[in-house]
Amino acid sequence: MSSPQQKPMHIGGSKQVALTTISFIIVLILFALFMFPFIMVLLNSLKAKVQIIRNPFGFASVSLSQAAFNYKRAFTTMNYIRSFCNSLFVTGLSTVCVVFLSSMLAYYLVRHVNKFSTAVSLIIVASMIIPFQSLMIPLVSIYGSSLNVLNHRPTLIFMHTGFSIALSTFTFQGFIKSDCPVALEEAATIDGCGRYRTFFSIVFPLLKPITFTIVILNVLAFWNDYLLPSLVLAKKEILTLPLTTYVFYGTYSAEYGVIMAALILTVVPILVLYLALQKQIIAGVISGAVK
């Protein structure tokens, strides 16, 4: 006799819904906690200093006229256009240098495995462990007192490139190993491509996903950096946006509303860049995580 047909068991129906709901609530809470500081900065940029001190979390004291005053005062006092151009020049040129130098170095280290390339790879990994704070004083001493090259934007670009090239090279190495077939390079060599043309015509286009990720990570780091530019730059006409926000701090008081407005003006360009490149950034992060 055949056994009676058993009905399929639906396991985890309501349980799965409950887990999904709980996960969503947890993510929502974490998102709110993460965005809370930004929301507070945005909210207080619309208030007067007195209202910020009395009730920094209140919405009732928000004033459009006060907001217009804060943003206009921040825009003019920090000389926004000039500071924006300084940040754009330093960030853009530093990022270009990091991308091209690290990608070429990573390509060489992956395709030429020998004692020299192995030693360089180990030095790159070791350099990422050294904290920047341990290098600040000798850095300023050497470049300021000995070489006298501080207060120049090329010096800041050089330092940004030097401090960021290790991590970018390490990231490019992993991507080249897994996503750049040697057969394509061999075919290009047979067709008459030289070493540099093979890299820029065949290899570099294949690095597009991870390149977008490295670009946005470095742009975020360079644009928002305050510590290194504060050590290198002192002339008012070459200060970057994060440095110019400090002009609103007095000896005994600070213009909190104008400071908040200045911070929002500093964040907006990088936020627009992220929104424009978010698809490529997410694709690069996912690709790097899978590999």
mmCIF file of all heavy atoms in Angstrom, residues 17-27:
data_model
loop_
_atom_site.group_PDB
_atom_site.id
_atom_site.type_symbol
_atom_site.label_atom_id
_atom_site.label_comp_id
_atom_site.label_asym_id
_atom_site.label_seq_id
_atom_site.Cartn_x
_atom_site.Cartn_y
_atom_site.Cartn_z
ATOM 1 N N VAL A 17 8.549 36.764 7.872
ATOM 2 C CA VAL A 17 7.997 38.127 7.851
ATOM 3 C C VAL A 17 8.427 38.900 9.093
ATOM 4 O O VAL A 17 8.797 40.080 9.026
ATOM 5 C CB VAL A 17 6.461 38.073 7.740
ATOM 6 C CG1 VAL A 17 5.870 39.473 7.879
ATOM 7 C CG2 VAL A 17 6.047 37.467 6.412
ATOM 8 N N ALA A 18 8.395 38.229 10.239
ATOM 9 C CA ALA A 18 8.796 38.883 11.488
ATOM 10 C C ALA A 18 10.269 39.274 11.459
ATOM 11 O O ALA A 18 10.643 40.380 11.868
ATOM 12 C CB ALA A 18 8.514 37.956 12.669
ATOM 13 N N LEU A 19 11.122 38.356 10.963
ATOM 14 C CA LEU A 19 12.554 38.657 10.876
ATOM 15 C C LEU A 19 12.827 39.811 9.924
ATOM 16 O O LEU A 19 13.663 40.678 10.197
ATOM 17 C CB LEU A 19 13.322 37.400 10.435
ATOM 18 C CG LEU A 19 13.416 36.265 11.453
ATOM 19 C CD1 LEU A 19 14.094 35.052 10.829
ATOM 20 C CD2 LEU A 19 14.177 36.709 12.695
ATOM 21 N N THR A 20 12.114 39.827 8.802
ATOM 22 C CA THR A 20 12.279 40.918 7.835
ATOM 23 C C THR A 20 11.865 42.257 8.443
ATOM 24 O O THR A 20 12.535 43.277 8.256
ATOM 25 C CB THR A 20 11.446 40.643 6.574
ATOM 26 O OG1 THR A 20 11.829 39.381 6.019
ATOM 27 C CG2 THR A 20 11.649 41.728 5.535
ATOM 28 N N THR A 21 10.754 42.242 9.171
ATOM 29 C CA THR A 21 10.271 43.471 9.811
ATOM 30 C C THR A 21 11.253 43.972 10.859
ATOM 31 O O THR A 21 11.562 45.172 10.933
ATOM 32 C CB THR A 21 8.895 43.229 10.455
ATOM 33 O OG1 THR A 21 7.986 42.720 9.468
ATOM 34 C CG2 THR A 21 8.347 44.512 11.049
ATOM 35 N N ILE A 22 11.756 43.055 11.680
ATOM 36 C CA ILE A 22 12.722 43.437 12.710
ATOM 37 C C ILE A 22 14.009 43.977 12.075
ATOM 38 O O ILE A 22 14.568 44.987 12.530
ATOM 39 C CB ILE A 22 13.031 42.235 13.614
ATOM 40 C CG1 ILE A 22 11.779 41.845 14.427
ATOM 41 C CG2 ILE A 22 14.183 42.543 14.569
ATOM 42 C CD1 ILE A 22 11.941 40.565 15.214
ATOM 43 N N SER A 23 14.465 43.329 11.013
ATOM 44 C CA SER A 23 15.676 43.789 10.317
ATOM 45 C C SER A 23 15.476 45.186 9.750
ATOM 46 O O SER A 23 16.361 46.043 9.838
ATOM 47 C CB SER A 23 16.036 42.813 9.202
ATOM 48 O OG SER A 23 16.286 41.522 9.720
ATOM 49 N N PHE A 24 14.297 45.409 9.177
ATOM 50 C CA PHE A 24 13.999 46.730 8.606
ATOM 51 C C PHE A 24 14.004 47.798 9.693
ATOM 52 O O PHE A 24 14.533 48.897 9.499
ATOM 53 C CB PHE A 24 12.653 46.699 7.883
ATOM 54 C CG PHE A 24 12.221 48.027 7.343
ATOM 55 C CD1 PHE A 24 12.782 48.533 6.179
ATOM 56 C CD2 PHE A 24 11.265 48.789 8.010
ATOM 57 C CE1 PHE A 24 12.396 49.772 5.685
ATOM 58 C CE2 PHE A 24 10.874 50.027 7.522
ATOM 59 C CZ PHE A 24 11.441 50.512 6.352
ATOM 60 N N ILE A 25 13.412 47.486 10.838
ATOM 61 C CA ILE A 25 13.358 48.452 11.946
ATOM 62 C C ILE A 25 14.762 48.757 12.457
ATOM 63 O O ILE A 25 15.104 49.915 12.726
ATOM 64 C CB ILE A 25 12.466 47.910 13.077
ATOM 65 C CG1 ILE A 25 11.015 47.821 12.615
ATOM 66 C CG2 ILE A 25 12.569 48.792 14.325
ATOM 67 C CD1 ILE A 25 10.086 47.155 13.606
ATOM 68 N N ILE A 26 15.604 47.724 12.562
ATOM 69 C CA ILE A 26 16.982 47.928 13.032
ATOM 70 C C ILE A 26 17.758 48.802 12.062
ATOM 71 O O ILE A 26 18.471 49.741 12.459
ATOM 72 C CB ILE A 26 17.680 46.575 13.228
ATOM 73 C CG1 ILE A 26 17.045 45.801 14.392
ATOM 74 C CG2 ILE A 26 19.180 46.774 13.494
ATOM 75 C CD1 ILE A 26 17.579 44.404 14.566
ATOM 76 N N VAL A 27 17.613 48.515 10.763
ATOM 77 C CA VAL A 27 18.296 49.325 9.745
ATOM 78 C C VAL A 27 17.804 50.764 9.789
ATOM 79 O O VAL A 27 18.587 51.718 9.658
ATOM 80 C CB VAL A 27 18.079 48.713 8.347
ATOM 81 C CG1 VAL A 27 18.574 49.653 7.256
ATOM 82 C CG2 VAL A 27 18.788 47.375 8.237
#
